[in-house]
Amino acid sequence: MKRTKTILDENDIPKQWYNIQADLKTPLDPPLHPQTKQPITPDDLKAIFPMGLIKQEVSTDRYITIPAEIREIYRIWRPSPLYRARRLEQVLKTPAEIYYKWEGGSPSGSHKPNSAVAQAYYNKKEGIERLVTETGAGQWGSALAFSTQLFGINCRIYMVKCSYEQKPYRRILMQTWGAEVYPSPTTLTNAGREILKKTPQTSGSLGISISEAVEDAATHDNTNYALGSVLNHVVLHQTVIGLELKKQFEILGKYPDIICGCVGGGSNFAGTAFPFVHDMIRGKKPDLKVVSIEPLACPTLTQGDYRYDYGDTAGLTPLLKMYTLGHDFVPSAIHAGGLRYHGDSPLLSKLTKDGYMDALAYTQQEIFQAAMLFARTEGLIPAPESAHAIRAAIDFAQICKKRNEKKIIVFTNSGHGHFDLGAYDDYHHNKIPNGEYKKIEEQAS
Ligand SMILES: Cc1ncc(COP(=O)(O)O)c(C=O)c1O
């Protein structure tokens, strides 16, 4: 019988995270203070982040040790399996090999606890009693609710209003792990009240919820803010995905030709890709294709500008150099709530700008078609966010078929869609808005 899964032992959970800042040809442009527009100092960040995470944010050490307490918790779901999507390959009749790294087996159902556990750990170590955050689809909020519960920290979550309404079970999950959850914008913060005054009917956005959470953290004692993506330390924590993946390909005696993943703020895909981009930078695999996949409804990398912008809507966060659609951009209320973010990780943005990574965008119809084919061949029901990566993997496999090329394609299947069944129901009832379909050949240079 042929192998479907490549599974590592618990002792193979990485002992160090990989920090790509050590290998950049030129350093990242520094984050700027929102008022003075001068580079921020670690002291500026102390109001909302613990020093342990601030040090990681600016570190240029190539490897950073993962504390044993974090690895102990990672053992609940890590290492995550690498699957070969044989049934999908058969249906597509492609000579390509399709693999996916399955992050949906964590307690909250996605890659997000890889960072949430680490963030709860460093905050607890510095005596923080309460963490505040935002969540889009609810995946990050549930990951932080789970993680804070394990460390005995209180948790408040500002959940983007349209997701709060679309995904009641995500809210219940967060409440089950002990978090308070509010539909954002709320009347609890100045930022929320201002936005409600201007646009009372707003469906909310990640940028708005971040403003609320940052304000809450900055104005309450013993409270810090936690961000589920974008920042360097979050990307760092997610490199456990790519480090495991490398080991799994070593066991198979193979190396991927194409790596793709969905990008909201960039954490799952950067975490997957950066250990491989390290090889590209070293000249070991110059022709590797590393492709970010985003929704056409929020096409940050494919249509945004590379410039300084705020991370939130109200302009409370430092300015980051990144691809952005503008901090006041409010994307339409697509089901892939975790991809509705105007900006992107500065590290992923820089590596895209510098030519190591590419990007493609898809409509919601296209990604749900791919999710359906995947569910009906591989069995697993992906989150709508992850379905973006599946769409691209299928399209790449079809191109391989046309060209009769036996490429190795791998994508990160970042989470399950069990709390997104309302979205699938909308798809079954033809309620997902149609969109222009740009074929991958037309988009790719
Ligand atoms: C399942 C899933 N995948 C991907 C993302 C996008 O986030 P990131 O780009 O940080 O991985 C999210 C965000 O909520 C998510 O829930």
Side-chain angles (χ1 to χ4, degrees):
M1 285 203 269
K2 290 181 184 158
R3 180 190 287 277
T4 295
K5 295 195 296 306
T6 303
I7 295 173
L8 300 173
D9 186 78
E10 282 183 13
N11 291 323
D12 293 320
I13 294 173
K15 296 188 175 55
Q16 295 173 316
W17 291 299
Y18 167 61
N19 179 15
I20 204 160
Q21 291 199 70
D23 292 303
L24 296 177
K25 293 261 157 75
T26 52
L28 274 184
D29 290 303
L32 304 180
H33 192 283
Q35 273 106 45
T36 65
K37 310 280 190 293
Q38 293 303 306
I40 49 165
T41 62
D43 265 1
D44 293 326
L45 296 173
K46 259 175 30 194
I48 55 169
F49 291 117
M51 269 323 280
L53 294 177
I54 295 170
K55 279 190 194 147
Q56 292 179 357
E57 192 61 24
V58 296
S59 171
T60 49
D61 294 344
R62 182 167 294 122
Y63 293 102
I64 294 176
T65 299
I66 307 177
E69 294 90 330
I70 297 175
R71 278 192 289 126
E72 207 59 56
I73 298 175
Y74 279 171
R75 281 173 187 249
I76 298 175
W77 72 97
R78 303 214 71 83
S80 70
L82 174 66
Y83 278 76
R84 170 102 182 251
R86 291 189 185 278
R87 289 170 184 79
L88 180 62
E89 288 171 17
Q90 277 161 17
V91 167
L92 297 174
K93 297 192 178 65
T94 176
E97 296 179 14
I98 306 175
Y99 295 86
Y100 61 93
K101 181 81 166 146
W102 176 233
E103 289 295 312
S106 74
S108 58
S110 78
H111 64 291
K112 296 284 181 182
N114 297 335
S115 184
V117 168
Q119 294 193 39
Y121 166 84
Y122 287 107
N123 277 288
K124 177 72 180 184
K125 213 170 149 208
E126 293 179 33
I128 291 299
E129 290 166 357
R130 182 170 171 270
L131 275 180
V132 186
T133 196
E134 73 293 327
T135 194
Q139 288 272 18
W140 167 246
S142 9
L144 196 70
F146 153 70
S147 305
T148 47
Q149 184 58 230
L150 292 189
F151 286 100
I153 302 174
N154 295 318
C155 184
R156 174 181 282 187
I157 296 161
Y158 292 89
M159 185 170 187
V160 176
K161 195 168 143 207
C162 65
S163 292
Y164 186 93
E165 286 158 3
Q166 282 167 350
K167 296 173 199 222
Y169 291 106
R170 274 278 162 207
R171 166 180 54 78
I172 297 165
L173 198 60
M174 291 183 253
Q175 289 166 336
T176 303
W177 279 313
E180 293 174 86
V181 190
Y182 295 98
S184 161
T186 68
T187 51
L188 298 168
T189 63
N190 284 331
R193 285 187 292 271
E194 277 303 308
I195 286 156
L196 284 173
K197 223 190 288 168
K198 281 191 219 142
T199 49
Q201 300 307 324
T202 180
S203 56
S205 71
L206 276 171
I208 293 171
S209 300
I210 293 173
S211 297
E212 293 212 272
V214 168
E215 182 186 323
D216 184 325
T219 52
H220 286 88
D221 285 342
N222 248 340
T223 298
N224 265 348
Y225 168 67
L227 185 62
S229 190
V230 181
L231 297 179
N232 303 342
H233 66 267
V234 185
V235 165
L236 174 82
H237 302 150
Q238 294 296 351
T239 58
V240 286
I241 305 174
L243 292 165
E244 285 178 10
L245 184 58
K246 269 190 126 173
K247 214 176 251 183
Q248 285 161 316
F249 271 115
E250 270 165 35
I251 290 172
L252 293 170
K254 299 181 188 226
Y255 196 99
D257 298 299
I258 301 169
I259 304 181
C260 56
C262 67
V263 170
S267 72
N268 86 87
F269 190 50
T272 305
F274 283 1
F276 294 89
V277 175
H278 185 200
D279 289 347
M280 290 172 87
I281 294 173
R282 287 185 292 179
K284 263 180 77 181
K285 187 75 188 174
D287 53 351
L288 178 67
K289 287 265 163 276
V290 186
V291 190
S292 301
I293 315 298
E294 57 186 14
L296 214 44
C298 191
T300 315
L301 294 164
T302 48
Q303 294 184 43
D305 301 320
Y306 185 57
R307 63 175 168 88
Y308 272 107
D309 197 8
Y310 296 101
D312 68 322
T313 303
L316 301 175
T317 70
L319 291 145
L320 302 173
K321 183 83 175 279
M322 60 183 174
Y323 278 98
T324 176
L325 295 163
H327 62 279
D328 50 0
F329 175 73
V330 178
S332 58
I334 56 170
H335 285 290
L339 306 187
R340 292 178 74 238
Y341 184 60
H342 66 274
D344 260 320
S345 144
L347 281 168
L348 187 143
S349 296
K350 179 174 170 55
L351 288 160
T352 305
K353 184 73 184 163
D354 290 351
Y356 291 98
M357 302 174 72
D358 285 321
L360 290 169
Y362 285 110
T363 67
Q364 295 305 287
Q365 271 290 336
E366 289 156 9
I367 67 98
F368 273 103
Q369 282 160 8
M372 291 296 292
L373 179 61
F374 188 81
R376 290 180 177 189
T377 50
E378 293 298 308
L380 299 171
I381 298 193
E385 289 84 358
S386 322
H388 288 70
I390 298 175
R391 171 80 263 169
I394 291 173
D395 282 2
F396 284 127
Q398 282 170 334
I399 293 172
C400 287
K401 183 178 167 186
K402 267 195 219 151
R403 298 182 184 170
N404 197 23
E405 286 178 345
K406 200 174 160 42
K407 300 260 189 218
I408 295 177
I409 301 166
V410 60
F411 67 90
T412 312
N413 200 346
S414 54
H416 70 63
H418 297 177
F419 296 106
D420 302 284
L421 291 179
Y424 279 84
D425 200 39
D426 279 355
Y427 181 77
H428 300 325
H429 291 93
N430 247 332
K431 287 198 219 151
I432 301 282
N434 232 324
E436 183 195 355
Y437 181 45
K438 281 204 187 123
K439 286 229 173 59
I440 207 161
E441 290 99 326
E442 289 163 17
Q443 287 194 44
S445 61

